[in-house]
């Protein structure tokens, strides 16, 4: 069976309530689909109206009418301010069926509270409240997520989304801060070790970062090219050389003396420390680059160096007061074994390299890093147009 594309839209209310991590956890752990794209965007009223019309045309069912009215009234700007919505794009077999099962159905009749089990995303995060007199008058409705029921519906919606997103920046700036000088941005990478198989880990990590109270203003699924990985982690090479060369050299001397039963001269010891130690430190750097891009930095043509790598990660941009410090406090130090309980790296990291996530260590680092990963660009439009 051929693989198709489908989507989940996380509503502005769900995004604003920092429930994004919980939604993503359910989608990744309850499907075998590949998350191939993600983007935060701010719909205008024209988009909201067109999407609502598309929903209304499908069938005269109560839940679709409710969804259409909701999109028309709540997806567009209010009070002159646009709202953040998150689009998650999935590829795989029967994507619409799998995503619908994970998201859950909407009940258009009274359901006793005790009958809800919290099994699906909508069981947990949506609300459909009727009038107290047991009539079918809806008093409050929040669907949490939207997803199509069929591949034809998905293809039509995705074309609408691609047309709207084409040419738009990947960062959503929809809030005017009282004192912009206090606002920082920081870049977070959920590293490749979290994406080896579908699990709730990426969503759980985002959920942990949500405790900072910061806003996600940009997100994308990214595959580091070898060139990007070398540029991004370039400063680490000198640090590794300074920290590790001497210890690697000393270890080599110790092993050689034990194996050959003679004392190595001071001159040879200095040479080993300078050359062998530096080579080992360089290898450690190459391992980091390979971990992030799937490619070891040698033997590639210039064209191959620039191509997206073989492993994926997710990049997010958080914004708010003291964003850099707040995120790094939740992340924890580089070595997971030294990280405090309750931090991301303590919970999910394995070692200094496979430490689950990266975060900018300063505003200056953010500026450098966002340039390298081209944070204002998102490949989701091209993925849609090539896939439908």
């Amino acid at each position: 069976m051929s693989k198709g594309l489908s989507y989940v839209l996380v509503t502005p209310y769900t995004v604003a309530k920092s429930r994004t991590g919980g939604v993503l956890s359910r989608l990744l752990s309850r499907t075998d689909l590949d998350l191939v794209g993600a983007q935060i965007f701010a719909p205008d009223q024209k988009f909201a109206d067109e999407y609502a019309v598309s929903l209304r045309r499908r069938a005269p069912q109560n839940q679709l009418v409710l969804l259409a009215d909701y999109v028309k009234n709540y997806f567009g700007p209010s009070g002159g301010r646009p709202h953040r919505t998150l689009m998650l794009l999935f590829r795989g077999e029967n994507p619409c069926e799998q995503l619908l099962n994970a998201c859950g159905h909407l009940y258009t009749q009274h359901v006793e509270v005790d009958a809800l089990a919290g099994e699906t995303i909508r069981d947990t995060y949506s609300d459909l409240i009727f009038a107290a007199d047991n009539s079918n008058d809806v008093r409050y409705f929040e669907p949490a997520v939207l997803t199509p029921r069929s591949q034809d519906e998905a293809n039509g919606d995705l074309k609408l989304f691609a047309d709207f997103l084409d040419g738009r920046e990947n960062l959503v700036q929809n809030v005017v801060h009282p004192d912009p000088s206090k606002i920082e941005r920081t870049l977070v990478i959920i590293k490749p070790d979290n994406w080896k198989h579908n699990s709730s880990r990426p969503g759980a990590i985002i959920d942990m970062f949500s405790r900072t109270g910061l806003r996600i203003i940009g997100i994308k699924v990214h595959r580091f090219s070898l060139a990007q990985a070398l540029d991004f982690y370039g400063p680490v090479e000198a640090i590794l050389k300074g920290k590790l060369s001497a210890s690697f050299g000393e270890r080599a001397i110790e092993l050689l003396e034990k194996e050959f039963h003679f004392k190595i001269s001071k001159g040879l010891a200095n040479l080993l420390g300078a050359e062998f130690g530096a080579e080992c430190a360089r290898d450690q750097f190459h391992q980091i680059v390979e971990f992030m891009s799937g490619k070891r930095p040698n033997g590639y043509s210039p064209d191959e160096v620039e191509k997206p790598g073989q492993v994926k990660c997710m990049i997010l941009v958080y914004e708010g007061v003291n964003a850099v410090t707040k995120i790094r406090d939740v992340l924890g130090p580089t070595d997971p074994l030294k990280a405090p309980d309750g931090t991301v790296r303590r919970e999910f990291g394995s070692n200094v390299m496979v430490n689950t996530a990266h975060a900018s260590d300063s505003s200056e680092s953010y500026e450098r890093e966002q340039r390298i990963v081209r944070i204002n660009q998102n490949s989701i439009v091209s993925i849609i147009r090539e896939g439908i």
Side-chain angles (χ1 to χ4, degrees):
M1 183 178 293
S2 61
K3 294 184 177 182
L5 281 179
S6 191
Y7 71 89
V8 170
L9 282 189
V10 184
T11 67
Y13 184 80
T14 304
V15 171
K17 295 290 284 185
S18 295
R19 295 169 174 170
T20 302
V23 170
L24 184 59
S25 288
R26 296 288 185 92
L27 293 171
L28 291 176
S29 62
R30 297 199 60 198
T31 71
D32 60 8
L33 302 172
D34 184 17
L35 178 67
V36 294
Q39 184 164 355
I40 291 270
F41 67 101
D44 59 19
Q45 194 58 50
K46 180 175 181 293
F47 172 89
D49 291 343
E50 290 178 355
Y51 186 33
V53 168
S54 176
L55 292 171
R56 199 180 300 275
R57 283 175 179 165
R58 292 171 188 175
Q61 297 178 22
N62 288 340
Q63 65 260 39
L64 292 178
V65 173
L66 279 172
L67 285 174
D69 289 344
Y70 176 88
V71 168
K72 181 178 179 63
N73 294 327
Y74 297 106
F75 263 55
S78 60
R81 176 186 293 177
H83 305 297
R84 294 168 300 148
T85 297
L86 172 61
M87 179 182 177
L88 299 169
L89 185 65
F90 292 87
R91 179 188 288 124
E93 294 185 2
N94 299 319
C96 297
E97 180 181 352
Q98 289 198 57
L99 293 175
L100 188 60
N101 287 338
C103 289
H105 295 272
L106 291 168
Y107 300 98
T108 53
Q109 68 280 348
H110 286 284
V111 176
E112 292 294 331
V113 172
D114 290 338
L116 297 173
E119 180 182 3
T120 68
I121 291 170
R122 282 178 171 152
D123 279 348
T124 303
Y125 296 117
S126 74
D127 289 298
L128 182 56
I129 299 174
F130 294 89
D133 59 3
N134 289 325
S135 71
N136 286 324
D137 293 334
V138 176
R139 298 292 299 273
Y140 177 76
F141 176 53
E142 168 52 52
V145 291
L146 291 90
T147 194
R149 301 168 304 168
S150 70
Q151 194 61 59
D152 285 342
E153 291 178 0
N155 291 346
D157 292 343
L158 289 171
K159 184 180 183 305
L160 173 66
F161 301 158
D163 290 343
F164 178 75
L165 294 173
D166 195 6
R168 294 181 184 270
E169 292 189 344
N170 193 46
L171 300 183
V172 173
Q173 303 176 61
N174 66 324
V175 172
V176 177
H177 298 282
D179 187 354
S181 65
K182 294 182 178 179
I183 302 302
E184 295 178 342
R185 289 179 179 175
T186 190
L187 184 140
V188 166
I189 302 173
I190 301 179
K191 292 183 177 182
D193 52 306
N194 300 287
W195 305 96
K196 291 181 178 179
H197 55 84
N198 276 13
S199 77
S200 60
R201 280 181 55 165
I205 291 167
I206 293 173
D207 203 39
M208 291 177 74
F209 283 131
S210 72
R211 73 178 69 158
T212 62
L214 301 170
R215 303 168 68 250
I216 300 173
I217 63 167
I219 185 171
K220 70 174 180 176
V221 175
H222 186 68
R223 295 179 183 269
F224 272 87
S225 69
L226 181 55
Q228 285 179 325
L230 286 167
D231 194 5
F232 195 96
Y233 287 96
V236 174
E237 184 173 13
I239 295 172
L240 289 173
K241 186 175 180 180
K243 286 185 175 181
L244 300 179
S245 290
S247 61
F248 279 133
E250 290 170 2
R251 179 63 175 153
I253 292 166
E254 179 183 334
L255 292 173
L256 287 169
E257 289 181 339
K258 182 177 180 180
E259 177 69 21
F260 293 102
H261 308 290
F262 73 89
K263 185 71 174 177
I264 289 178
S265 67
K266 185 176 181 180
L268 181 55
N270 290 337
L271 182 62
L272 283 170
E275 298 298 330
F276 179 79
E279 189 65 28
C280 288
R282 188 176 301 112
D283 181 72
Q284 291 285 306
F285 172 67
H286 287 179
Q287 287 184 44
I288 293 172
V289 171
E290 183 178 19
F291 173 64
M292 292 302 297
S293 69
K295 296 179 178 179
R296 200 165 180 85
N298 49 46
Y300 291 97
S301 68
D303 288 342
E304 290 175 311
V305 167
E306 297 292 341
K307 288 181 179 178
Q310 301 164 355
V311 294
K312 74 178 178 184
C313 59
M314 177 178 277
I315 300 178
L316 305 98
V317 174
Y318 288 84
E319 181 182 79
V321 177
N322 297 325
V324 172
T325 298
K326 287 179 179 178
I327 289 292
R328 288 185 69 82
D329 284 348
V330 175
L331 177 63
T334 303
D335 186 349
L337 297 179
K338 298 178 181 177
D341 292 344
T343 59
V344 169
R345 283 175 170 159
R346 184 67 174 183
E347 290 285 331
F348 300 109
S350 300
N351 54 53
V352 173
M353 182 172 68
V354 187
N355 59 7
T356 212
H358 162 89
S360 307
D361 61 11
S362 66
S363 294
E364 292 74 21
S365 292
Y366 165 76
E367 293 297 335
R368 174 183 170 276
E369 292 167 358
Q370 63 86 21
R371 172 187 57 78
I372 294 170
V373 301
R374 300 168 187 167
I375 196 59
N376 251 323
Q377 299 176 19
N378 197 315
S379 61
I380 200 167
V381 171
S382 61
I383 294 172
I384 291 172
R385 288 181 171 160
E386 291 169 7
I388 62 173

